[in-house]
Amino acid sequence: MSFPPEPRGLLLLLVVWTASQLCPPSAADPAASPRIIITSSSLGEKRFLFGPPESHIVLYHEQGTPSVFVGAESKLYYHNFDNSTDYEVPFKTTRKPSNCKNDDDKNYLTLLEKYQEKLLICGTNACNPTCWNWVHGKKEIFMHAQGLAPFGLDPNALVLVDGDDIYSTIKKHQYNGKNPRFRRILGSTELYTTDMMMKNPQFVKAAMVKQDKPYNAKIYLFFREDNPDSSRNPVASKSISRVAQLCKGDKGGSGSLSASKWTTFLKATLLCVDGDRHFNHLQDVFIVESPVWSQTKIYGLFSNEWEYSAVCVYSVGAISEVFRTSPLKGYTGEPPAVRPGQCLEGDQRTPHETFQLADSYPEVLNRVQEKAIFSNKHHYQQIEIHQVEAGDGVTYNVLYLATDRGTIHKVVVLPTGAINVLEIQPFQSSAVIQSVILDTARKELFVASLSEVVQLPLAMCGAYKNTCGSCVLARDPYCGWTGGRCDSVYDHKQHGNRTLLQALTHDNSSDICSSSSNNTKEDGTGLHMNVTVPQQSRYYLNCTVESHHANYTWFHNNRAILHCRPGHRHCIYFIDNMTDDLYGTYSCIAKEDWFTQTLVTENLVKPFSKTIAFRDKLDKDTATTTSLSFWLGLLHMLAVVLVIQ
Ligand SMILES: *[C@@H]1O[C@H](CO)[C@@H](O)[C@H](O)[C@H]1NC(C)=O
Ligand SMILES: *[C@@H]1O[C@H](CO)[C@@H](O)[C@H](O)[C@H]1NC(C)=O
Ligand SMILES: *[C@@H]1O[C@H](CO)[C@@H](O)[C@H](O)[C@H]1NC(C)=O
Ligand SMILES: *[C@@H]1O[C@H](CO)[C@@H](O)[C@H](O)[C@H]1NC(C)=O
Ligand SMILES: *[C@@H]1O[C@H](CO)[C@@H](O)[C@H](O)[C@H]1NC(C)=O
Ligand SMILES: *[C@@H]1O[C@H](CO)[C@@H](O)[C@H](O)[C@H]1NC(C)=O
Ligand SMILES: *[C@@H]1O[C@H](CO)[C@@H](O)[C@H](O)[C@H]1NC(C)=O
Ligand SMILES: *[C@@H]1O[C@H](CO)[C@@H](O)[C@H](O)[C@H]1NC(C)=O
């Protein structure tokens, strides 16, 4: 074989370097990286494509319905995933010439919400915020648009609809002050936060949370703001995350100065800690309600300065306790009869002295802090939680985390810790995730990019190979092995009481699949082939990595020759120069907990004659030339993969 000399030296160097790099050191916690990586295709997903990509979208989906509404620039899309009907309605700018200084005379739809049994649609309408009710396929002008839509696209715009009340962080007038406010704009008395309460806030979420008594119902407002300590302490982060509580029944203060101000606002630092790492940049919040008010859980998704992520869970009981018992930061005097943050029954207004104290010292001293239940090096942007009842009747919490790379991680919280079981790439081509909505009634996830909305079933058991080991090791509470296939708990429930094999809680001991009468033959065998390899040629053995949490080992005549630890993307063994002692049987064996599987067996044999064959098929000339370019391509690919890792 003749290779040009220069690339050959380089090639060998690369081979040596690559071979030594093929098994990168495993991450501190392999369970935090996705075990299986898939692109969704034939997993029961359905797609709705917009046609040309949009520049901006807002997604609306009502729980339990088959449809989505998408607000875009100057138009509204509707799509029904059950019967694939859709329509598109123009929402053109109605006012010309525009009010805008910056020529942005578009009508970006920014809000779609159910309000008083109608779909409320609001848009920027060329700096002239306008709302419509969408009734029986017709637009009706809605009179109170102030504060419901911003004057231009604004990432800090948050709207909370609660019965007849609407709360908003959107400016009512184009030239209002710079410091954003949280207002009640419709329903009960109009109220706003004072400039003392928040410094340059960036809002994350607002939610209504019930408490023991109706008059005690609270609004929790989650935001980041300028850290007052960062001027004194140069290592302190510039911004800090907060949870604020306000009484839903706040009627303003008793004095004329405080009559239209929130008088029950108090805020606390919200922190998520993983070992000695602090995560103080709140990214998203998801609330899981409980019939017992104090057990309602608030899931906070945080990132740190390295853009690593962590998830913490806070109970409403604990947050409420902090606000009820903590002293006010900076205040040492006696508290007034009506404590700051206290909700009052009936028509009572907050006494002026209570308001003044809370307005001067809006922060409580104690922090709301928890230990992370999950953390890793990915940068997540959105979190949704689903509670699923597994085959054993136990309910598990599953986190759906949207990454900044357009994928979703499914993380199962088990008593032994959280496991990242799956990475899904939901879109046809890689795209940024704009919005994720989880439908607990339909058990589906609606994921939107600027080009499409995808409806994904939460139980995607097709992601796992149809073998008992693959299905059970997935640790996916939605899936279990039954009747010779990997079935979803939802389908299974309809099939009566056949046992569903799952191994969610016992991650030790024996192979539960071996006891299954319906274990398929694929477990334990796998691909088997004979390959003729010429002497002095190069060859590589490729083992398909299914689980990124498993150990893969290549054996040559039963002697281990390459060990690939969890976290690798490939487990490839290179033979640089085929010599007599290198012929024989090579097998790749995957090992994960109790499960062992032979994935590939290749029997490398010498050619019968002098005829040189490459992988049995190619004649000498093509073998030589093909193999050089092939090897360069392969090395390039591996180098790229390694750089990405
Ligand atoms: C599709 O479903 C929607 C709502 O369920 C219904 O209004 C519509 O008529 C259906 N369209 C077709 C073509 O069946
Ligand atoms: C085994 O699988 C077959 C189909 O593959 C099914 O008909 C049978 O009921 C299964 N038996 C058990 C015990 O699950
Ligand atoms: C399944 O078992 C439960 C109790 O173990 C029983 O109540 C139920 O009727 C059974 N369902 C079917 C379809 O056999
Ligand atoms: C494995 O877990 C089960 C229960 O989950 C326990 O009963 C058993 O003792 C454990 N076995 C070992 C070897 O740790
Ligand atoms: C490989 O070769 C052996 C003997 O040379 C033969 O028995 C076996 O069937 C072959 N296997 C395959 C998969 O072709
Ligand atoms: C491969 O090994 C043989 C025997 O050790 C040696 O003669 C030959 O030069 C080597 N070939 C290459 C390409 O390194
Ligand atoms: C190894 O096999 C997998 C799966 O068949 C394939 O995707 C990958 O490209 C192969 N790698 C190489 C270097 O051939
Ligand atoms: C992989 O191998 C390492 C070292 O042999 C071992 O510590 C680890 O537990 C193994 N992991 C799995 C999932 O079997």
Side-chain angles (χ1 to χ4, degrees):
M1 268 189 249
S2 58
F3 290 106
E6 299 93 280
R8 190 169 155 221
L10 185 70
L11 205 69
L12 281 173
L13 216 117
L14 267 168
V15 169
V16 173
W17 173 78
T18 320
S20 63
Q21 299 286 313
L22 271 181
C23 304
S26 58
D29 181 9
S33 58
R35 182 175 174 274
I36 287 179
I37 297 173
I38 52 160
T39 53
S40 79
S41 55
S42 35
L43 294 172
E45 78 282 2
K46 289 181 178 173
R47 285 171 203 288
F48 164 51
L49 299 162
F50 303 149
E54 292 295 338
S55 60
H56 148 90
I57 61 141
V58 53
L59 179 66
Y60 174 75
H61 167 75
E62 195 179 341
Q63 293 284 307
T65 66
S67 53
V68 290
F69 287 93
V70 179
E73 181 202 308
S74 307
K75 60 170 105 68
L76 173 78
Y77 294 99
Y78 164 88
H79 180 80
N80 181 322
F81 283 97
D82 280 0
N83 63 17
S84 293
T85 47
D86 41 45
Y87 58 75
E88 190 184 316
V89 189
F91 273 79
K92 292 250 160 26
T93 306
T94 56
R95 151 103 61 119
K96 284 199 176 132
S98 87
N99 268 358
C100 299
K101 277 193 298 192
N102 53 1
D103 285 350
D104 201 352
D105 56 1
K106 313 241 166 53
N107 183 23
Y108 298 102
L109 299 186
T110 57
L111 179 74
L112 303 182
E113 276 289 348
K114 255 299 165 51
Y115 183 61
Q116 296 175 334
E117 302 304 311
K118 292 172 185 162
L119 182 64
L120 181 62
I121 300 172
C122 300
T124 57
N125 199 16
C127 306
N128 178 36
T130 307
C131 294
W132 297 265
N133 271 321
W134 184 244
V135 188
H136 304 304
K138 286 211 186 71
K139 289 182 238 175
E140 290 173 356
I141 282 283
F142 179 81
M143 296 313 292
H144 319 278
Q146 257 189 358
L148 282 173
F151 291 83
L153 286 177
D154 176 6
N156 210 10
L158 206 67
V159 175
L160 170 67
V161 177
D162 176 62
D164 286 345
D165 292 336
I166 299 186
Y167 306 85
S168 167
T169 64
I170 298 168
K171 280 200 255 188
K172 290 181 75 174
H173 304 284
Q174 194 162 10
Y175 305 109
N176 263 5
K178 272 196 183 138
N179 197 20
R181 292 176 161 169
F182 178 73
R183 304 167 187 274
R184 180 157 63 206
I185 55 170
L186 275 179
S188 323
T189 337
E190 208 171 307
L191 297 175
Y192 63 90
T193 50
T194 70
D195 287 347
M196 295 290 285
M197 295 172 181
M198 298 179 279
K199 289 283 177 272
N200 190 22
Q202 292 164 282
F203 299 105
V204 174
K205 191 105 168 181
M208 189 65 63
V209 177
K210 293 197 190 78
Q211 298 219 346
D212 49 352
K213 309 237 172 53
Y215 79 86
N216 248 341
K218 301 278 179 0
I219 298 158
Y220 283 135
L221 183 61
F222 300 91
F223 60 99
R224 303 183 299 267
E225 66 173 339
D226 294 349
N227 185 355
D229 295 338
S230 73
S231 53
R232 271 168 281 139
N233 178 359
V235 294
S237 62
K238 279 219 157 40
S239 82
I240 190 160
S241 296
R242 306 280 200 193
V243 52
Q245 74 161 37
L246 309 97
C247 297
K248 173 180 157 68
D250 196 327
K251 294 183 180 59
S254 55
S256 59
L257 275 175
S258 56
S260 53
K261 291 170 183 162
W262 286 102
T263 57
T264 53
F265 179 101
L266 280 184
K267 66 184 176 186
T269 296
L270 188 66
L271 197 57
C272 185
V273 180
D274 185 28
D276 53 4
R277 285 181 297 174
H278 283 207
F279 291 81
N280 47 27
H281 189 92
L282 183 67
Q283 201 80 43
D284 193 20
V285 164
F286 191 88
I287 296 177
V288 179
E289 279 197 63
S290 159
V292 182
W293 72 272
S294 59
Q295 295 296 310
T296 291
K297 295 287 193 290
I298 292 171
Y299 285 75
L301 169 65
F302 293 81
S303 57
N304 67 5
E305 64 272 36
W306 310 105
E307 304 231 309
Y308 293 1
S309 302
V311 176
C312 276
V313 191
Y314 311 87
S315 73
V316 166
I319 296 180
S320 184
E321 183 72 7
V322 166
F323 283 118
R324 208 171 51 77
T325 59
S326 170
L328 299 177
K329 189 174 177 180
Y331 178 72
T332 49
E334 279 293 305
V338 173
R339 281 178 296 104
Q342 190 176 332
C343 301
L344 300 175
E345 283 194 75
D347 287 336
Q348 297 174 71
R349 285 170 168 262
T350 307
H352 191 66
E353 54 166 352
T354 306
F355 165 73
Q356 268 193 321
L357 179 60
D359 193 40
S360 312
Y361 304 96
E363 185 185 346
V364 298
L365 189 62
N366 297 351
R367 301 193 290 198
V368 174
Q369 179 172 333
E370 285 293 345
K371 284 199 193 107
I373 58 162
F374 180 74
S375 74
N376 71 13
K377 292 187 177 182
H378 290 273
H379 187 223
Y380 297 120
Q381 295 176 319
Q382 231 192 305
I383 182 169
E384 309 281 308
I385 317 294
H386 185 233
Q387 300 192 305
V388 55
E389 193 185 307
D392 56 4
V394 176
T395 298
Y396 294 93
N397 291 310
V398 181
L399 322 179
Y400 292 88
L401 297 161
T403 69
D404 58 353
R405 296 175 177 189
T407 60
I408 292 174
H409 288 180
K410 185 185 207 176
V411 175
V412 180
V413 184
L414 297 174
T416 45
I419 302 186
N420 191 343
V421 298
L422 194 62
E423 174 177 291
I424 312 150
Q425 203 280 81
F427 304 122
Q428 274 186 335
S429 52
S430 165
V432 175
I433 293 173
Q434 301 289 325
S435 184
V436 182
I437 297 176
L438 190 140
D439 187 323
T440 47
R442 286 173 65 91
K443 296 162 180 90
E444 277 160 354
L445 207 57
F446 294 85
V447 191
S449 73
L450 291 174
S451 312
E452 60 180 310
V453 184
V454 182
Q455 174 195 272
L456 282 170
L458 299 181
M460 280 181 288
C461 305
Y464 315 116
K465 282 198 186 135
N466 233 345
T467 67
C468 178
S470 172
C471 182
V472 168
L473 274 176
R475 302 261 161 64
D476 186 326
Y478 298 89
C479 306
W481 186 249
T482 184
R485 60 196 208 97
C486 196
D487 209 358
S488 101
V489 286
Y490 302 124
D491 291 342
H492 181 253
K493 276 190 185 130
Q494 297 160 4
H495 297 154
N497 285 343
R498 265 207 309 245
T499 42
L500 187 73
L501 279 184
Q502 289 185 317
L504 299 171
T505 45
H506 39 101
D507 57 345
N508 51 10
S509 69
S510 64
D511 178 353
I512 68 163
C513 284
S514 59
S515 61
S516 158
S517 57
N518 253 346
N519 199 0
T520 51
K521 288 200 196 74
E522 296 108 87
D523 284 18
T525 52
L527 188 65
H528 194 208
M529 54 188 182
N530 290 332
V531 185
T532 310
V533 182
Q535 280 180 301
Q536 297 188 26
S537 68
R538 298 191 171 91
Y539 192 71
Y540 73 98
L541 295 142
N542 181 10
C543 189
T544 307
V545 170
E546 185 198 5
S547 164
H548 299 278
H549 291 179
N551 279 320
Y552 291 79
T553 309
W554 270 109
F555 288 88
H556 176 219
N557 296 336
N558 298 322
R559 189 173 60 87
I561 49 170
L562 178 68
H563 190 59
C564 301
R565 295 276 204 106
H568 51 265
R569 301 246 167 116
H570 299 270
C571 191
I572 297 177
Y573 184 72
F574 289 95
I575 295 169
D576 187 42
N577 184 358
M578 197 68 200
T579 51
D580 284 350
D581 53 329
L582 295 178
Y583 288 98
T585 305
Y586 289 81
S587 44
C588 174
I589 294 179
K591 203 167 183 315
E592 188 171 357
D593 298 331
W594 44 264
F595 191 68
T596 303
Q597 188 177 19
T598 306
L599 293 166
V600 186
T601 305
E602 284 197 40
N603 200 17
L604 303 192
V605 294
K606 268 193 226 181
F608 290 121
S609 64
K610 286 270 177 209
T611 318
I612 293 174
F614 189 75
R615 280 210 173 223
D616 261 354
K617 292 181 193 73
L618 306 168
D619 66 29
K620 184 181 173 183
D621 289 346
T622 51
T624 316
T625 48
T626 312
S627 60
L628 176 60
S629 58
F630 171 80
W631 272 83
L632 284 169
L634 171 68
L635 287 167
H636 175 74
M637 188 195 84
L638 286 170
V640 169
V641 166
L642 288 164
V643 167
I644 290 167
Q645 284 178 341

